[in-house]
Amino acid sequence: VQLQASGGGLVQPGESVKLSCTVSGFSLKGRAIGWYRQAPEKEREGISCIEIPVKEADDGGEVPHYLDSVKGRFTTSADADKTTVYLEMDKLKPEDTAVYYCATRCTIQNDDHLYNRYYGMDVWGKGTQVTVSS
């Protein structure tokens, strides 16, 4: 049972990066995948969440949630085979510099709401570094 995050690198402000979180050993169906980041000397924060429905026809499935500071710039999605979850990050800012992780749980703390999803599996991938600098 494994998650593998990849796709990080060095980019300039305003550019885009697409991270991938590939799963092995289990199915994404019926799971929630969260992306987190940890900047130097800061606590880890949850930035996005996507829930993958068990059945393709389930209404309301795969509706993503985001931290307010990335809403409108970051997009999380899953591939058709439900083996990879992506985090597409646009209009990157220097303050987005961090190590990015994916996990089988979601915790997003916005000012007015805490969003949690956990379905009994707590697996974390190794992080991938994203550096935004000119």
Side-chain angles (χ1 to χ4, degrees):
V1 177
Q2 225 175 6
L3 296 178
Q4 180 65 52
S6 62
L10 172 64
V11 296
Q12 294 191 345
E15 292 185 338
S16 299
V17 167
K18 188 172 184 177
L19 305 183
S20 299
C21 176
T22 303
V23 305
S24 59
F26 69 98
S27 172
L28 278 178
K29 294 182 180 180
R31 303 289 180 191
I33 296 294
W35 282 96
Y36 297 75
R37 66 184 180 186
Q38 187 163 18
E41 301 181 358
K42 291 189 176 180
E43 293 188 355
R44 184 175 61 199
E45 63 180 358
I47 57 175
S48 72
C49 182
I50 187 168
E51 294 185 68
I52 310 299
V54 174
K55 298 179 182 178
E56 289 292 332
D58 281 359
D59 291 335
E62 299 192 34
V63 176
H65 290 76
Y66 300 96
L67 185 68
D68 284 346
S69 64
V70 307
K71 201 175 293 184
R73 299 188 300 123
F74 291 10
T75 304
T76 188
S77 62
D79 70 348
D81 293 335
K82 306 298 185 279
T83 58
T84 304
V85 172
Y86 302 102
L87 182 68
E88 185 153 11
M89 305 187 292
D90 298 322
K91 302 177 184 177
L92 283 162
K93 305 174 182 180
E95 52 263 43
D96 294 318
T97 294
V99 179
Y100 285 73
Y101 303 86
C102 57
T104 55
R105 65 188 305 155
C106 300
T107 304
I108 300 174
Q109 178 68 70
N110 284 313
D111 287 343
D112 59 348
H113 181 65
L114 174 64
Y115 183 85
N116 267 320
R117 286 298 183 268
Y118 175 67
Y119 296 114
M121 176 182 280
D122 192 9
V123 179
W124 290 78
K126 291 183 180 179
T128 184
Q129 175 72 46
V130 175
T131 302
V132 185
S133 174
S134 56

